[in-house]
Amino acid sequence: MIHVRDAVGHDAARIAELNRAFNGVETAPAFVVGSFGELVLVGELHGTVVGFACLQILQSVCYQHPWAELTELFVSPESRQYGVGNALVEEAKRRAWQEGCTEIVLRTSLTNVGGRDFFRITGFTETQQLLLRKVRRPS
């Protein structure tokens, strides 16, 4: 059975472990839950956390309505194909709409064919926008 809920403190170590598998990034569990006002959702399969999604609600003085960014989505490879990713996305969308957001955006690699297909299936469409960035390494 799939269950999606807000992450809580005792989920931090598991989220850090999943993030390491996802991004190859070591994150201290204390840093994971409650950071930056970002909504962190976890997806459980039969009572075990097997995935997570992160959602940020954004507002600008230039636009009347907020929008959301789905900043992260990961489900452990062995737990895919059970609908956990879809359940996480649906809950993230529900939360964004509940907050009055008029759109949800996300970024994924052009080479992430599986991810792009998944997001299309869940109702997202690709745009022709270009992402530019400047990186500063922490000192």
Side-chain angles (χ1 to χ4, degrees):
M1 175 175 203
I2 299 168
H3 179 64
V4 173
R5 61 174 173 78
D6 289 6
V8 293
H10 71 265
D11 296 317
R14 179 65 176 146
I15 294 167
E17 180 183 329
L18 289 166
N19 188 49
R20 186 173 36 262
F22 177 41
N23 288 317
V25 174
E26 290 290 332
T27 306
F31 184 76
V32 172
V33 176
S35 297
F36 312 113
E38 184 172 47
L39 172 64
V40 181
L41 300 169
V42 293
E44 294 178 321
L45 188 59
H46 306 294
T48 300
V49 173
V50 296
F52 68 94
C54 301
L55 185 74
Q56 292 184 6
I57 306 297
L58 304 163
Q59 181 74 58
S60 168
V61 298
C62 296
Y63 301 99
Q64 182 176 351
H65 300 286
W67 69 95
E69 181 175 355
L70 184 63
T71 58
E72 306 293 341
L73 176 68
F74 180 73
V75 175
S76 62
E78 63 276 7
S79 300
R80 294 178 186 163
Q81 304 303 316
Y82 292 102
V84 177
N86 189 60
L88 285 163
V89 169
E90 287 304 312
E91 182 61 14
K93 289 191 305 191
R94 187 186 75 74
R95 298 287 187 93
W97 303 152
Q98 180 181 313
E99 291 295 320
C101 294
T102 56
E103 72 175 331
I104 304 170
V105 298
L106 63 88
R107 292 183 272 174
T108 192
S109 170
L110 290 173
T111 61
N112 183 359
V113 176
R116 291 170 65 190
D117 289 345
F118 171 78
F119 287 119
R120 278 191 217 102
I121 290 168
T122 60
F124 288 84
T125 56
E126 292 186 16
T127 69
Q128 294 298 312
Q129 293 183 343
L130 174 65
L131 172 68
L132 302 166
R133 73 181 201 168
K134 179 151 182 73
V135 176
R136 178 181 173 265
R137 301 288 177 217
S139 25

